[in-house]
């Protein structure tokens, strides 16, 4: 969701990252428009896609924008015979952006079982992988993350030919680090568009944090008390300009995915690439007890 003095546009864009346990991290940009998983194990539900003011669906990325998200992978380590993973342990964030997949090169495994030893950390797995991303449910599962800590994931084929276990540690996302990382990503994008970098918006930092909290209960540019979003950090007496971008849900699971989410919408992108702005404050609230878990705000300003 983004807003400036000219327009308000609501857009929730589907962008998800998947960890395939093969020694690397792959990010995938796809053409779906929403990815809200209801808080109910064993079932995946998508909300209806939203549209902008013109009634047109918003593309994930504009054609003239691209950013490589391919991390270095290690393909030299083959999965041992009879096993499923070449890793024995991994650490993931509690943001709900993870599909756990079998090792690279393994396919046609048929039905598999997936078990978790600590349901307070990973409660279980949704009935299938996120197949709309192109992942096969016979080799990938989407875990239901309930909290932080360590659990042992055991998986295997029913014919007994392959079985393995991996220790998965779930940790809280680094909130303050991620907020400043959003500024870094935005400035990289601005540099590629020959725009001056933004500085951290100290003046509106508190406002950005407040707005990230407020959209837990009301995901609008109108604040819960009915006032306009801009009242969180009012314009100074001598004037100025400000803008707001908002994002929630499974598509907004890390700094890079959230910025790409905004870059896929014309109005969000306009705020990020506005040459007038000089400052950017970022708010981020991760609360697994809420419906959408991740809540982001960007507060752009010239003051």
């Amino acid at each position: 969701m983004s807003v400036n003095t000219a327009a308000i546009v609501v857009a929730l864009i589907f962008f998800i990252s998947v960890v395939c346990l093969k020694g690397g991290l792959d990010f995938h940009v796809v053409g779906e428009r929403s990815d809200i998983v209801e808080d109910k194990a064993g079932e995946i539900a998508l909300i209806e896609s939203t549209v902008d003011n013109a009634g047109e669906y918003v593309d994930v990325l504009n054609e003239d924008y691209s950013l490589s998200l391919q991390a270095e992978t290690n393909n030299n380590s083959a999965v041992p015979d009879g096993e499923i993973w070449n890793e024995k342990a991994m650490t993931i964030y509690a943001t709900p952006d993870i599909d756990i997949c079998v090792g690279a090169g393994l396919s046609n495994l048929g039905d598999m079982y997936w078990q978790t030893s600590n349901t307070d950390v990973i409660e279980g797995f949704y009935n299938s992988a996120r197949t709309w991303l192109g992942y096969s449910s016979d080799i990938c599962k989407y875990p239901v993350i309930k909290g932080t800590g360590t659990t042992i994931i055991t998986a295997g084929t029913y014919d007994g030919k392959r079985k393995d276990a991996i220790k998965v540690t779930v940790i809280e996302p680094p909130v303050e680090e991620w907020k400043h990382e959003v500024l870094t990503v935005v400035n990289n994008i601005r540099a590629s568009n020959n725009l001056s970098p933004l500085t951290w918006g100290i003046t509106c930092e508190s406002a950005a944090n407040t707005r990230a909290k407020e959209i837990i209960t009301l995901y609008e540019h109108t604040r819960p008390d009915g006032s306009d979003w801009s009242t969180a950090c009012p314009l100074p007496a001598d004037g100025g300009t400000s803008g707001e971008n908002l994002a929630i849900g499974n598509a907004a699971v890390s700094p890079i995915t959230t910025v790409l989410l905004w870059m896929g919408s014309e109005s969000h992108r306009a705020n990020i690439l506005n040459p007038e702005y000089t400052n950017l404050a970022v708010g981020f609230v991760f609360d697994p007890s809420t419906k959408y878990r991740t809540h982001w705000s960007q507060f752009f300003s010239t003051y």
Side-chain angles (χ1 to χ4, degrees), residues 253-275:
V253 293
S254 69
I256 188 66
T257 60
T258 305
V259 174
L260 287 179
L261 181 79
W262 285 320
M263 286 297 292
S265 163
E266 183 178 351
S267 63
H268 298 76
R269 179 186 172 95
N271 274 339
I272 290 173
L273 298 181
N274 189 326

Side-chain angles (χ1 to χ4, degrees), residues 23 61-62 117 138 156 193 219 235 245:
L61 290 177
N62 290 352
S117 67
D138 67 339
N193 286 271
Y219 184 47
L235 295 175
N245 284 349

Side-chain angles (χ1 to χ4, degrees), residues 4-133:
N4 54 31
T5 55
I8 296 178
V9 176
V10 178
L12 182 60
I13 302 166
F14 183 98
F15 182 95
I16 213 83
S17 63
V18 175
V19 168
C20 294
L21 301 182
K22 59 182 181 182
L25 180 64
D26 297 324
F27 288 87
H28 301 266
V29 179
V30 295
E32 296 290 339
R33 297 322 200 268
S34 62
D35 179 39
I36 299 300
V37 176
E38 300 295 343
D39 189 17
K40 183 164 56 177
E43 180 177 321
I44 291 180
L46 299 179
I47 63 169
E48 183 179 354
S49 301
T50 55
V51 295
D52 64 16
N53 287 359
E56 297 178 353
Y57 288 106
V58 183
D59 291 332
V60 173
L61 290 177
N62 290 352
E63 292 182 0
D64 60 346
Y65 177 74
S66 63
L67 182 62
S68 174
L69 295 171
Q70 179 68 49
E72 183 179 355
T73 60
N74 176 13
N75 294 320
N76 297 323
S77 180
V79 177
D81 289 341
E83 297 184 9
I84 292 173
W85 297 298
N86 54 7
E87 287 90 348
K88 296 304 177 185
M90 68 178 296
T91 300
I92 63 176
Y93 290 120
T95 48
D97 66 330
I98 301 300
D99 277 10
I100 296 180
C101 303
V102 302
L106 300 182
S107 60
N108 301 319
L109 298 174
D111 291 336
M112 294 179 60
Y113 59 85
W114 297 73
Q115 297 174 331
T116 176
S117 67
N118 187 349
T119 56
D120 291 331
V121 177
I122 294 179
E123 183 181 44
F125 297 88
Y126 291 99
N127 284 340
S128 67
R130 285 172 283 193
T131 53
W132 56 91
L133 282 173

Side-chain angles (χ1 to χ4, degrees), residues 148-162:
T148 57
T150 299
T151 185
I152 303 297
I153 303 300
T154 303
T157 57
Y158 284 107
D159 61 13
K161 292 181 178 180
R162 286 189 176 273

Side-chain angles (χ1 to χ4, degrees), residues 75-290:
N75 294 320
N76 297 323
S77 180
V79 177
D81 289 341
E83 297 184 9
I84 292 173
W85 297 298
N86 54 7
E87 287 90 348
K88 296 304 177 185
M90 68 178 296
T91 300
I92 63 176
Y93 290 120
T95 48
D97 66 330
I98 301 300
D99 277 10
I100 296 180
C101 303
V102 302
L106 300 182
S107 60
N108 301 319
L109 298 174
D111 291 336
M112 294 179 60
Y113 59 85
W114 297 73
Q115 297 174 331
T116 176
S117 67
N118 187 349
T119 56
D120 291 331
V121 177
I122 294 179
E123 183 181 44
F125 297 88
Y126 291 99
N127 284 340
S128 67
R130 285 172 283 193
T131 53
W132 56 91
L133 282 173
Y135 299 106
S136 173
S137 61
D138 67 339
I139 61 173
C140 295
K141 293 295 181 183
Y142 182 11
V144 183
I145 299 174
K146 300 299 290 185
T148 57
T150 299
T151 185
I152 303 297
I153 303 300
T154 303
T157 57
Y158 284 107
D159 61 13
K161 292 181 178 180
R162 286 189 176 273
K163 179 182 178 180
D164 207 352
I166 187 168
K167 182 171 73 172
V168 179
T169 300
V170 179
I171 62 174
E172 292 282 345
V175 172
E176 293 303 319
E177 177 183 332
W178 276 13
K179 288 194 291 188
H180 287 270
E181 189 174 334
V182 166
L183 175 63
T184 299
V185 175
V186 165
N187 280 337
N188 288 340
I189 293 171
R190 287 175 65 91
S192 68
N193 286 271
N194 299 315
L195 295 172
S196 299
L198 303 176
T199 59
W200 185 256
I202 298 176
T203 302
C204 295
E205 181 175 9
S206 177
N209 292 328
T210 296
R211 292 293 295 132
K213 295 175 183 177
E214 290 180 344
I215 61 175
I216 294 175
T217 55
L218 182 63
Y219 184 47
E220 299 286 348
H221 292 297
T222 301
R223 303 180 67 187
D225 64 3
S227 62
D228 187 71
W229 63 273
S230 60
T231 61
C233 190
L235 295 175
D238 57 354
T241 303
S242 62
E244 179 180 75
N245 284 349
L246 302 175
I248 61 174
N250 284 8
V253 293
S254 69
I256 188 66
T257 60
T258 305
V259 174
L260 287 179
L261 181 79
W262 285 320
M263 286 297 292
S265 163
E266 183 178 351
S267 63
H268 298 76
R269 179 186 172 95
N271 274 339
I272 290 173
L273 298 181
N274 189 326
E276 293 185 35
Y277 293 139
T278 55
N279 306 304
L280 171 61
V282 179
F284 173 49
V285 174
F286 173 69
D287 187 347
S289 69
T290 62

